[in-house]
Amino acid sequence: MRRVTLDLDVLRSFVTGMEMGSFAKAADRLGRSTSAVSAQLKKLEDQAATPIFRKSGRGLALTEAGETMLGYARRLLELNDEAVSAIHDVELEGWVRLGLQEDFGEAVLPDVLGRFARAHPKVKIEARIGRSYELAERITSGSLDIALAWHNDDRLPYSQHVADVQMRWIGPASLIETNLRSGEALPLVALEAPCLLRTVATETLDRAGLPWRMAFSSPSLGGIWAAVAAGLGLTIRTEIGLPANVRAMTPEITGLPALPGMGLFLHRKEAELDPVAARLADILLQATLESLPEIARARPVHSGLRSVA
């Protein structure tokens, strides 16, 4: 079998296009023309010796081989970037303050800390797990350098939209979904107000004309999962960071109304971060995109290119 050495520049264009949802946008970000990116994608398919894209409406989606290629491409770029950073920033020192939504505490934080610590062992990280409104307040006051949080209508000047993630009804893992069609008031489990998801849940049920009652409130996400797992009621959340004793439910089966998506943002305290915070922001963004459910990041890509063939 002929040995093939993949081109990291080509892989970077490929991964950037998939994460941005557009190869035209990827070309702008990478400082290349759309025709140059098109040629790179053609080269990637030639090296793969199999199609990695398929038509999806007016855009492109990945084939099964393309999904496999994307996973390996992310890993190769991660190792490359970590190596380059470790060499050039070996003397990087200082400290950085990071904020994360509770959902990402277990799904993203260990990966981020591990990657960053390996490349920059002299940097001290101060991390805070909190709710979106609290993280936004801390970014505004300057007590956090960067924060990953759900959008909660705060207008922060230095924010980057990361993804839109579908909200889901969440119930205990043992729940039989058809039992919900009883006509009784739906018991809800939610974080204490103010809470965006609490508001979405009650307003969605009100619009659908379905009765509900607040069965349990908690100041922490851990309390929410415990109450839902115990069968006290349903909550709404995304599929990120779900413990094994709860599960996302299907609205079509339960008869519950469909839920909207929720915007995920990376907030910065200022437009130009210092080198330490900027590097951590890059690693956080990459790790977050890798952790998102496939539905949030594997949507069809509008390439802005006529063809990749």
Side-chain angles (χ1 to χ4, degrees):
M1 179 178 177
R2 180 175 65 92
R3 290 186 178 273
V4 175
T5 301
L6 297 172
D7 187 323
L8 288 176
D9 283 336
V10 171
L11 294 180
R12 195 175 301 280
S13 295
F14 173 49
V15 170
T16 303
M18 294 306 302
E19 291 178 348
M20 297 187 70
S22 166
F23 286 113
K25 291 180 180 178
D28 288 339
R29 170 173 288 186
L30 297 172
R32 295 189 174 95
S33 66
T34 53
S35 60
V37 172
S38 180
Q40 286 185 315
L41 299 178
K42 174 64 166 60
K43 177 181 179 180
L44 185 59
E45 284 201 319
D46 289 343
Q47 289 189 317
T50 186
I52 61 175
F53 296 102
R54 59 178 174 80
K55 291 289 186 181
S56 178
R58 298 178 60 187
L60 299 170
L62 293 177
T63 63
E64 185 175 347
E67 293 280 1
T68 300
M69 178 67 78
L70 182 60
Y72 278 105
R74 286 194 173 108
R75 290 164 59 187
L76 288 167
L77 290 171
E78 173 192 333
L79 186 59
N80 174 83
D81 294 347
E82 185 177 308
V84 172
S85 178
I87 293 169
H88 291 287
D89 297 330
V90 68
E91 297 302 323
L92 198 63
E93 298 184 51
W95 68 298
V96 60
R97 300 161 299 178
L98 164 68
L100 278 178
Q101 195 84 32
E102 282 187 280
D103 311 64
F104 295 90
E106 294 184 10
V108 171
L109 188 57
D111 185 22
V112 170
L113 295 180
R115 293 188 196 184
F116 192 81
R118 286 192 298 271
H120 312 295
K122 297 182 180 180
V123 175
K124 176 184 175 182
I125 302 176
E126 179 182 307
R128 172 174 292 274
I129 304 297
R131 295 167 63 179
S132 56
Y133 75 89
E134 176 191 356
L135 298 176
E137 289 175 354
R138 288 182 175 273
I139 285 287
T140 301
S141 67
S143 59
L144 286 176
D145 297 303
I146 55 175
L148 183 71
W150 300 117
H151 179 59
N152 66 347
D153 294 328
D154 285 308
R155 303 291 181 180
L156 301 183
Y158 310 118
S159 295
Q160 176 183 354
H161 178 252
V162 177
D164 290 313
V165 187
Q166 181 63 45
M167 297 187 200
R168 299 288 299 274
W169 292 101
I170 309 295
S174 60
L175 181 67
I176 300 175
E177 294 184 347
T178 53
N179 286 349
L180 295 176
R181 299 181 179 182
S182 62
E184 298 179 0
L186 180 70
L188 290 179
V189 173
L191 289 172
E192 294 176 348
C195 173
L196 171 65
L197 284 87
R198 179 187 182 115
T199 301
V200 170
T202 57
E203 290 182 352
T204 298
L205 291 171
D206 286 342
R207 284 195 298 270
L210 297 175
W212 56 271
R213 61 182 178 85
M214 193 59 64
F216 183 89
S217 292
S218 171
S220 71
L221 192 55
I224 297 301
W225 296 143
V228 171
L232 298 187
L234 304 183
T235 192
I236 67 171
R237 211 75 193 171
T238 72
E239 294 181 63
I240 297 168
L242 293 185
N245 54 3
V246 304
R247 66 185 175 100
M249 301 164 59
T250 307
E252 292 79 4
I253 296 177
T254 63
L256 293 171
L259 296 166
M262 183 163 54
L264 180 65
F265 283 77
L266 181 63
H267 303 305
R268 295 172 170 85
K269 72 171 184 178
E270 51 197 1
E272 296 294 332
L273 296 172
D274 64 65
V276 174
R279 179 58 185 147
L280 182 58
D282 288 342
I283 293 176
L284 176 60
L285 181 59
Q286 183 179 11
T288 301
L289 289 170
E290 292 170 2
S291 76
L292 293 179
E294 289 298 319
I295 191 171
R297 56 178 170 83
R299 58 191 183 280
V301 173
H302 297 284
S303 65
L305 311 177
R306 292 187 177 181
S307 174
V308 296

